[in-house]
Amino acid sequence: MSNPSYRIFDASENAVIVYFSDIVSSEQTQKIAAFSHALKTSLGELIVDVTLSYTSALVTYQSLSIDHFSIKQKIKSILTQLNDITFSVKQIELPAYYHSEVGADLNTMAKAKNLTVSDIIKFHSEQIYSVFAIGFAPGFAFLGEVNPILATPRLATPRKKVAKGSIAIADKQTAVYPAVSPGGWNLIGNCPVSLFDAANTPPLPFNIGDSVKFVPIERNEFIRLGGHID
Amino acid sequence: MTSILKVINPGLYSCVQDLGRFGQNHLGLTTGGCHDAYAFKIANALVGNPINSPALELTLGGFRAEVLAPITIALTGLNVGFTINNKNQALWQSIQVARGDVIEIATPHIGLRHTLAISGGVKAQSHFTSVSTVMREGLGCKIEANTLIKQQAPRFSKQKRLPANLIPNFCQNTPLNMVLALQHHEFSAADLNRFLSSSYTVTGQSDRMGYRIQGAALESPTGARFSEGINLGAIQVPADGQPIVLLNDRQTIGGYPKLGSVTALDCANLLQKRAGDEVAFNAISIEKAQNLNHLAQVKLQRALDALN
């Protein structure tokens, strides 16, 4: 019997989606990552792609090799064994230069919350964040959750251009913009380390289920690590 | 590597494609890939290439290029004015061209996209297992005027022509097959009926990422939901009730409710539609959709055998 909390639905004639939970937690995210790993290991070529996000895994399969009944049976069987699988996750540290010269919304946020900038730095950097989802843009990781004091709605009007490396907050999540892009999150700092680089193996330093901690750095360290101030 | 084509006019949008970038969703990278797998594979087979060789995808014709070295080319897609040195040529066949020849592909009267395959394949930089062009992700190669196209490997091919009965009958007014799936149970029966019995107009905000269609508004199920993986063909319904069909270059995750998916086979038909065209949907079972995939595979194999 598979755990009754799993729900599996067809998504198309060659994809199914597995829901693991109704709530987001680092424990669930790690379970989803373990599922993806087990699925690829045991079904190999039958799996075209697996898209993980928050509470679900979308599995695209080779519908010329297996039908939707059989793939769901195999998925259920993997889900049944999931609790016995040990899956290691890692924690990475990212340097963070928190300053209004690279975080345009830092002072506004402090004022609105009646906090000092140092408070914001402390609250943001003492938390350990779980990678809940990767998407929106290559290497864009949704990290959660921030200390409730820091939760801030998205900007009413998104910026046309957000600098690469920008550290930002939207609602209860935080993220680093891996490349220059438009964006509506509140900018509080910048990470000088390139997060997504096609030339690196792996191109992204973390996966879903891993955790991230920000380490505050000073301006000169930021510059030394390759950071830019526009 | 010698250049084989000099692009004089790329048309509205021309780019390099292959069958797609698979297994990279965990990095946030989308699939991309050719607009029509059958047309793409046959184009390559016609010029003697492995079927996943990089080829050019042309949008709305208007393409003109000068040949710089002898090669074999093949154009597949809906019928369109296609000339070499102003002499009419047929699609779905291989053509030997010589240095100095001028290839011209007119603006089509119906349909939107064509595949132009070149013997030896187009030389292109592969990123994350694929050369597929996804402009939003900064991957691949968009073809501009004066772009010099290089050959991946020298290759010569004998004259080939796809038997007429294996040329797809692109019928413009057939409803698109879709399966009711994903969150369809959250939509009202009345709205599902409304969706299946209405015709929708393709809007100008439609591209390889997704097609926005306009028509009978549907009530989008409310309630908090988390972003989740988006499969090819997913029909999402945002708050304004106007469906969006997500296609090859779709974002990897998103949060709108989805009532089902256009089948992969019919996504290729949808990608031939342009702003103002009408589309309708026909719900089929997953079993039928899978059977249609098998039939399509048989037809492809028959075509590949015929070209061997």
Side-chain angles (χ1 to χ4, degrees), chain A residues 25-220:
Chain A
S25 69
S26 57
E27 190 198 14
Q28 284 300 330
T29 319
Q30 286 171 20
K31 191 176 269 188
I32 294 169
F35 165 75
S36 170
H37 183 74
L39 187 75
K40 287 176 186 167
T41 309
S42 61
L43 300 187
E45 296 284 296
L46 289 177
I47 304 301
V48 176
D49 220 327
V50 186
T51 317
L52 310 179
S53 181
Y54 295 101
T55 58
S56 65
L58 174 77
V59 181
T60 308
Y61 58 93
Q62 289 288 2
S63 67
L64 291 173
S65 306
I66 188 166
D67 66 35
H68 66 124
F69 288 115
S70 310
I71 192 81
K72 279 185 277 193
Q73 281 308 321
K74 288 188 186 295
I75 288 173
K76 278 178 193 158
S77 148
I78 290 169
L79 288 169
T80 312
Q81 298 155 29
L82 208 53
N83 288 330
D84 305 329
I85 296 171
T86 50
F87 183 74
S88 63
V89 291
K90 59 183 182 295
Q91 179 178 321
I92 70 150
E93 293 191 340
L94 293 178
Y97 175 49
Y98 298 99
H99 193 280
S100 57
E101 64 182 344
V102 289
D105 302 309
L106 186 61
N107 293 342
T108 323
M109 193 188 283
K111 202 171 284 175
K113 295 182 185 297
N114 219 358
L115 295 170
T116 63
V117 164
S118 309
D119 291 335
I120 292 189
I121 296 173
K122 177 174 166 288
F123 287 131
H124 190 262
S125 62
E126 71 187 4
Q127 201 88 345
I128 292 170
Y129 301 103
S130 190
V131 181
F132 286 148
I134 295 168
F136 165 70
F140 191 98
F142 294 82
L143 310 171
E145 293 183 338
V146 299
N147 185 316
I149 300 166
L150 297 185
T152 309
R154 276 156 225 254
L155 304 177
T157 310
R159 290 188 171 89
K160 287 198 174 110
K161 191 179 164 193
V162 172
K164 176 184 172 178
S166 292
I167 300 169
I169 290 177
D171 303 319
K172 290 185 285 186
Q173 300 187 90
T174 186
V176 178
Y177 281 84
V180 176
S181 84
W185 292 37
N186 303 275
L187 312 180
I188 60 167
N190 193 289
C191 169
V193 174
S194 221
L195 271 197
F196 185 79
D197 189 340
N200 288 349
T201 313
L204 191 60
F206 43 69
N207 282 309
I208 280 193
D210 290 341
S211 54
V212 173
K213 192 170 185 306
F214 291 95
V215 181
I217 54 170
E218 297 297 327
R219 192 180 203 268
N220 53 2

Side-chain angles (χ1 to χ4, degrees), chain B residues 104-207:
Chain B
E104 217 161 343
I105 297 157
T107 302
H109 295 297
I110 52 162
L112 194 56
R113 297 170 217 271
H114 290 88
T115 300
L116 179 66
I118 289 161
S119 54
V122 169
K123 187 174 165 63
Q125 171 83 45
S126 175
H127 295 282
F128 303 99
T129 75
S130 165
V131 303
S132 283
T133 303
V134 180
M135 293 306 291
R136 194 181 70 254
E137 296 181 346
L139 297 176
C141 178
K142 183 185 173 199
I143 309 295
E144 313 274 4
N146 296 320
T147 298
L148 291 176
I149 294 179
K150 295 181 169 65
Q151 201 175 28
Q152 199 174 46
R155 191 185 293 271
F156 298 94
S157 176
K158 60 182 196 299
Q159 199 70 27
K160 291 176 183 181
R161 180 191 290 268
L162 188 70
N165 64 330
L166 292 169
I167 295 176
N169 177 19
F170 293 105
C171 184
Q172 287 300 292
N173 297 315
T174 310
L176 301 167
N177 282 330
M178 55 91 58
V179 293
L180 289 169
L182 292 152
Q183 293 91 31
H184 79 281
H185 50 275
E186 294 181 34
F187 288 79
S188 70
D191 265 358
L192 291 178
N193 276 328
R194 189 168 296 127
F195 174 72
L196 292 168
S197 58
S198 306
S199 76
Y200 287 85
T201 308
V202 172
T203 74
Q205 289 171 290
S206 297
D207 55 23

Side-chain angles (χ1 to χ4, degrees), chain B:
Chain B
M1 195 62 63
T2 46
S3 297
I4 48 169
L5 280 187
K6 182 183 178 185
V7 176
I8 301 161
N9 187 349
L12 183 67
Y13 176 63
S14 295
C15 61
V16 177
Q17 291 293 344
D18 58 17
L19 291 173
R21 188 169 283 115
F22 298 101
Q24 309 298 322
N25 276 184
H26 64 287
L27 300 172
L29 293 171
T30 191
T31 318
C34 60
H35 65 99
D36 181 324
Y38 184 82
F40 184 88
K41 290 172 180 174
I42 297 299
N44 268 318
L46 282 165
V47 298
N49 289 346
I51 55 175
N52 194 21
S53 302
L56 300 184
E57 179 177 303
L58 316 177
T59 303
L60 208 60
F63 181 88
R64 193 179 150 94
E66 185 191 340
V67 179
L68 304 178
I71 45 168
T72 313
I73 62 169
L75 184 70
T76 60
L78 283 102
N79 215 0
V80 65
F82 171 34
T83 62
I84 311 280
N85 303 333
N86 292 318
K87 232 181 99 190
N88 285 326
Q89 307 290 331
L91 281 73
W92 303 94
Q93 65 169 8
S94 59
I95 302 162
Q96 316 288 341
V97 290
R99 186 184 160 88
D101 285 353
V102 174
I103 301 169
E104 217 161 343
I105 297 157
T107 302
H109 295 297
I110 52 162
L112 194 56
R113 297 170 217 271
H114 290 88
T115 300
L116 179 66
I118 289 161
S119 54
V122 169
K123 187 174 165 63
Q125 171 83 45
S126 175
H127 295 282
F128 303 99
T129 75
S130 165
V131 303
S132 283
T133 303
V134 180
M135 293 306 291
R136 194 181 70 254
E137 296 181 346
L139 297 176
C141 178
K142 183 185 173 199
I143 309 295
E144 313 274 4
N146 296 320
T147 298
L148 291 176
I149 294 179
K150 295 181 169 65
Q151 201 175 28
Q152 199 174 46
R155 191 185 293 271
F156 298 94
S157 176
K158 60 182 196 299
Q159 199 70 27
K160 291 176 183 181
R161 180 191 290 268
L162 188 70
N165 64 330
L166 292 169
I167 295 176
N169 177 19
F170 293 105
C171 184
Q172 287 300 292
N173 297 315
T174 310
L176 301 167
N177 282 330
M178 55 91 58
V179 293
L180 289 169
L182 292 152
Q183 293 91 31
H184 79 281
H185 50 275
E186 294 181 34
F187 288 79
S188 70
D191 265 358
L192 291 178
N193 276 328
R194 189 168 296 127
F195 174 72
L196 292 168
S197 58
S198 306
S199 76
Y200 287 85
T201 308
V202 172
T203 74
Q205 289 171 290
S206 297
D207 55 23
R208 290 175 49 92
M209 187 172 177
Y211 266 47
R212 282 176 185 265
I213 55 176
Q214 208 157 36
L218 308 173
E219 197 173 321
S220 184
T222 51
R225 67 185 73 239
F226 297 106
S227 282
E228 61 187 33
I230 305 177
N231 56 285
L232 178 67
I235 305 163
Q236 68 179 24
V237 182
D240 68 1
Q242 301 294 329
I244 304 171
V245 184
L246 278 312
L247 294 165
N248 306 37
D249 292 3
R250 66 198 177 279
Q251 66 277 31
T252 54
I253 60 173
Y256 290 121
K258 297 172 279 286
L259 57 77
S261 296
V262 173
T263 64
L265 288 175
D266 275 4
C267 284
N269 291 334
L270 181 55
L271 275 163
Q272 290 292 1
K273 309 281 182 190
R274 25 169 129 159
D277 286 351
E278 300 264 298
V279 289
F281 298 87
N282 176 41
I284 60 172
S285 66
I286 288 181
E287 290 81 358
K288 183 168 180 191
Q290 292 187 336
N291 285 344
L292 289 172
N293 279 345
H294 283 278
L295 289 173
Q297 178 63 20
V298 169
K299 185 176 175 184
L300 172 69
Q301 197 52 55
R302 206 187 309 152
L304 295 176
D305 291 346
L307 297 176
N308 242 328

